Amino acid sequence: MAHEMILTETRGPVALITLNRPKALNALCDQLMRELGEALLAYDADPAVAAIVITGNEKAFAAGADIKEMQARTYPAVLQNDFIAPWETVLRVKKPVIAAVAGFALGGGCELAMMCDMILAADTAKFGQPEINLGVIPGAGGTQRFTRAVGKSKAMEMVLTGRMMGAEEAERANLVARVVPAAELVAEALKVGEKLATLSATALVVAKDSVNAAFETTLTEGVKTERRLFLSLFATEDQKEGMAAFAEKRKANFRNR
């Protein structure tokens, strides 16, 4: 893949995408988000890839959207051509997507991280939705996913005041899965991806759908979705292999069927 604003590579069964606009603290512009979407869909279609890690650099995962690019846009223009829509490509990816966040994850950067399936944070990470300082509000899910992750009161504080929270506070608030030393961040994210690669790809897709249903439906509907998806896995060879391996006290050999 030839791109200008991201770097891509595979480490065994895990794809690593690095946002690469260091002079702009990885500000999310149209080109970067287009390239990111292309890479995500290509890796999602690649049978050799089991999981995807998105990261930035030590200073910033992404310090926000590219304000200079947005500044001159008008309401009729953005209404007719929703420039935020391509940012949501990550939500179409069926494979697990891990955000490995160091430094600033602000505004659109925080929103991009929250669109991923899990966030691993370096101890240097800082999260926030500072759009209020620009006279606007988050537009890529910041008011919604932030609230679902941390609750109304803290989300209100973060969105209305624009303050940042550090990694430890983000972990306490359930915004991130866990915090690791900055020097170990990418290695730890790759390690998680490698663990996922040993599991049933079919079960992982179904598990993602089921957890996401908890955020998108009522409890009753979510449980119904979970039950339906759980029962559907009894039609797979991986379920037979996984349970047989457990009974026989051996390691399962999943074939993603």
Side-chain angles (χ1 to χ4, degrees):
M1 301 178 193
H3 296 107
E4 295 179 356
M5 295 189 176
I6 63 171
L7 303 174
T8 59
E9 60 179 302
T10 54
R11 305 274 187 94
V14 185
L16 176 63
I17 302 174
T18 304
L19 309 183
N20 190 38
R21 293 187 73 198
K23 293 182 180 179
L25 294 177
N26 291 332
L28 305 178
C29 63
D30 290 349
Q31 181 180 343
L32 186 153
M33 298 309 292
R34 182 173 63 253
E35 292 181 5
L36 175 61
E38 291 170 355
L40 285 167
L41 294 179
Y43 283 133
D44 199 32
D46 186 346
V49 172
I52 303 168
V53 173
I54 303 176
T55 194
N57 56 49
E58 67 279 1
K59 291 184 178 179
F61 175 75
D66 191 324
I67 304 305
K68 293 180 180 179
E69 188 176 70
M70 288 195 297
Q71 182 179 4
R73 287 174 167 156
T74 65
Y75 176 62
V78 298
L79 184 64
Q80 296 174 48
N81 181 22
D82 181 0
F83 69 96
I84 295 294
W87 294 32
E88 298 179 328
T89 301
V90 64
L91 301 177
R92 295 162 51 192
V93 176
K94 293 182 178 181
K95 294 172 181 176
V97 182
I98 303 162
V101 177
F104 297 115
L106 305 177
C110 187
E111 291 171 310
L112 174 60
M114 290 191 292
M115 289 184 205
C116 297
D117 297 311
M118 66 183 84
I119 303 173
L120 295 186
D123 50 14
T124 60
K126 293 186 179 298
F127 299 87
Q129 300 291 159
E131 290 89 345
I132 200 74
N133 295 315
L134 303 175
V136 294
I137 66 170
T143 64
Q144 303 302 301
R145 292 188 179 91
F146 214 115
T147 304
R148 283 165 171 75
V150 307
K152 177 183 174 181
S153 184
K154 187 172 285 290
M156 279 289 190
E157 181 199 13
M158 301 298 292
V159 171
L160 297 187
T161 70
R163 82 167 179 90
M164 294 184 290
M165 67 165 68
E168 291 185 2
E169 182 182 357
E171 184 180 27
R172 291 196 305 270
N174 296 319
L175 182 64
V176 307
R178 52 195 168 94
V179 179
V180 300
E184 301 172 14
L185 175 65
V186 173
E188 187 62 27
L190 292 170
K191 183 178 178 181
V192 173
E194 290 165 359
K195 165 63 178 177
L196 296 173
T198 68
L199 304 174
S200 165
T202 304
L204 288 173
V205 171
V206 171
K208 275 188 59 166
D209 285 347
S210 190
V211 172
N212 283 329
F215 287 84
E216 297 163 1
T217 64
T218 65
L219 176 60
T220 299
E221 290 302 315
V223 171
K224 287 180 180 178
T225 298
E226 177 191 74
R227 187 70 45 77
R228 184 178 68 253
L229 293 172
F230 167 73
L231 296 175
S232 74
L233 289 172
F234 281 76
T236 68
E237 292 181 20
D238 283 350
Q239 174 266 331
K240 304 296 185 292
E241 168 62 13
M243 293 190 177
F246 178 85
E248 296 164 13
K249 298 181 179 180
R250 60 175 174 83
K251 184 177 180 180
N253 180 26
F254 294 116
R255 299 183 182 276
N256 303 325
R257 295 191 293 229

